[in-house]
């Protein structure tokens, strides 16, 4: 990993559609060293085909394809080949779900996460809560291991939870909806507690402001009115978080220039 280095994360909302809409020119222009992708909705063959121009240009690809066709899927694109790649969070239920992958680059591990979205009163919410319980244990495990080995970790992705009122424009009308439930927000707060091993890098660099939002519904005028959610995070271990010097949410200039309903969230680390 070069020093300094740049990490970007984006939910592509289907990699094949994103590639047709403008993702490939963005890849050509970005100065990111590592890019975490979520919701690729593609198997390895489909993913490789969609990203062929980028791979031909020298990008390396590691992916966790989903077992369910057309759902989930995460990947890591990198300028240099990773030293090692691991898939899953150690929970049998989610081993083939295509929701988590991590790659080592020198003394830094970069992970791509797609946490379940959930829906109150349904099995989807139950699944989300089971994933959250398993993932909290996994995060504690890798943070402890990283500290012991003098390594750093950054977990990037679509966490599908707006942590605070500043992370959601319409927070008053979403207090009983998945993504802004009190128990979900408390779960995130516990990860980011004062003595906890994780830091929300974007919020640390942009304290006490609304947003910057990273997801806007395609419905109505959400994008035009910037009525969004900040649910795409980079959570880093302490020493890496201290090296973060700039965080930018790459919001499209206009609605018709969007190639996903999410915007890339890019952080520069010293």
């Amino acid at each position: 990993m070069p020093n300094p280095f740049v990490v970007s994360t984006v939910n592509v909302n289907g990699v094949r559609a994103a590639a047709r809409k403008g993702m490939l020119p963005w890849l050509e222009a970005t100065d990111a060293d590592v890019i975490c992708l979520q919701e690729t909705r593609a198997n390895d063959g489909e993913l490789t085909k969609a990203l062929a121009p980028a791979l031909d240009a020298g990008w390396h690809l590691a992916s966790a394809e989903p077992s369910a066709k057309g759902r989930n899927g995460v990947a890591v694109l990198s300028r240099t080949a990773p030293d090692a790649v691991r898939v899953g969070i150690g929970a049998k239920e989610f081993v083939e779900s295509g929701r988590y992958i991590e790659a080592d680059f020198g003394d830094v591990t970069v992970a791509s996460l797609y946490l379940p979205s959930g829906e109150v009163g349904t099995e989807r919410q139950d699944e989300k809560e089971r994933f959250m319980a398993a993932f909290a244990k996994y995060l504690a495990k890798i943070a402890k291991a990283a500290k012991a080995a003098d390594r750093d970790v950054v977990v990037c992705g679509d966490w599908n939870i707006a942590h605070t009122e500043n992370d959601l424009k319409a927070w008053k009308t979403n207090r009983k909806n998945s993504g802004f439930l009190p128990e979900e927000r408390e779960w995130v707060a516990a990860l980011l507690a004062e003595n906890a091993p994780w830091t929300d890098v974007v919020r640390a660099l942009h304290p006490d402001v609304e947003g910057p939002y990273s997801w806007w519904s395609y419905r109505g005028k959400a994008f035009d009115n910037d009525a969004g959610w900040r649910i795409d995070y980079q959570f880093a271990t302490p020493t890496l978080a201290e090296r973060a010097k700039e965080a930018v949410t790459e919001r499209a200039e206009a609605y018709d220039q969007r190639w996903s309903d999410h915007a890339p969230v890019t952080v520069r680390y010293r």
Side-chain angles (χ1 to χ4, degrees):
M1 186 76 77
N3 189 14
F5 64 95
V6 180
V7 178
S8 188
T9 182
V10 59
N11 179 318
V12 297
N13 193 26
V15 70
R16 288 166 289 181
R20 292 193 301 269
K21 294 178 180 178
M23 178 186 176
L24 294 175
W26 176 80
L27 283 173
E28 290 181 6
T30 185
D31 62 351
D33 298 290
V34 181
I35 301 173
C36 296
L37 308 179
Q38 302 88 43
E39 207 172 358
T40 62
R41 300 183 188 173
N43 60 35
D44 285 347
E46 294 165 336
L47 181 62
T48 299
K49 183 177 180 180
L51 296 177
L55 301 180
D56 289 344
W59 286 94
H60 298 266
L61 174 65
S63 67
E65 62 181 357
S67 57
K69 183 177 176 60
R71 294 184 58 201
N72 309 339
V74 291
V76 175
L77 280 170
S78 56
R79 305 249 182 212
T80 59
D83 303 319
V85 175
R86 293 170 295 278
V87 173
I89 61 173
K92 185 177 180 180
E93 177 182 0
F94 303 108
V95 69
E96 296 182 348
S97 63
R99 290 193 177 277
Y100 184 84
I101 186 171
E102 60 188 30
D104 295 339
F105 302 92
D107 59 359
V108 177
T109 296
V110 181
S112 182
L113 163 74
Y114 180 45
L115 196 141
S117 56
E119 183 179 352
V120 172
T122 71
E123 165 56 26
R124 289 179 60 199
Q125 188 66 26
D126 295 339
E127 178 192 20
K128 182 177 186 177
E129 292 173 1
R130 292 194 301 271
F131 188 97
M132 289 163 57
F135 194 47
K137 294 178 182 178
Y138 185 77
L139 287 172
K141 175 183 174 182
I142 62 173
K144 182 178 180 180
K147 183 177 182 180
D150 196 24
R151 294 181 54 81
D152 284 308
V153 183
V154 57
V155 181
C156 307
D158 181 353
W159 291 67
N160 266 313
I161 301 171
H163 177 207
T164 72
E165 294 172 5
N166 276 342
D167 298 315
L168 170 57
K169 184 73 170 182
W171 64 267
K172 291 182 180 179
T173 58
N174 279 283
R175 286 176 288 189
K176 296 183 179 180
N177 292 332
S178 184
F180 199 62
L181 297 173
E183 56 268 32
E184 294 174 337
R185 297 169 61 199
E186 290 169 5
W187 181 82
V188 175
L191 299 178
L192 303 174
E194 184 175 351
N195 296 320
W198 300 100
T199 297
D200 178 347
V201 172
V202 175
R203 180 54 72 209
L205 292 171
H206 298 276
D208 304 320
V209 300
E210 293 184 357
Y213 305 126
S214 60
W215 177 81
W216 304 262
S217 172
Y218 277 130
R219 299 174 182 175
K221 296 284 187 178
F223 182 80
D224 293 338
N225 296 331
D226 200 22
W229 297 57
R230 191 178 78 92
I231 53 177
D232 300 275
Y233 302 130
Q234 294 197 26
F235 283 8
T237 46
T239 53
L240 183 59
E242 291 174 0
R243 295 166 59 187
K245 62 179 181 179
E246 182 184 11
V248 177
T249 299
E250 300 182 45
R251 187 180 189 272
E253 292 185 6
Y255 182 94
D256 60 2
Q257 296 180 27
R258 305 171 72 190
W259 45 267
S260 172
D261 51 355
H262 293 251
V265 175
T266 302
V267 177
R268 297 180 181 276
Y269 296 91
R270 295 182 181 88

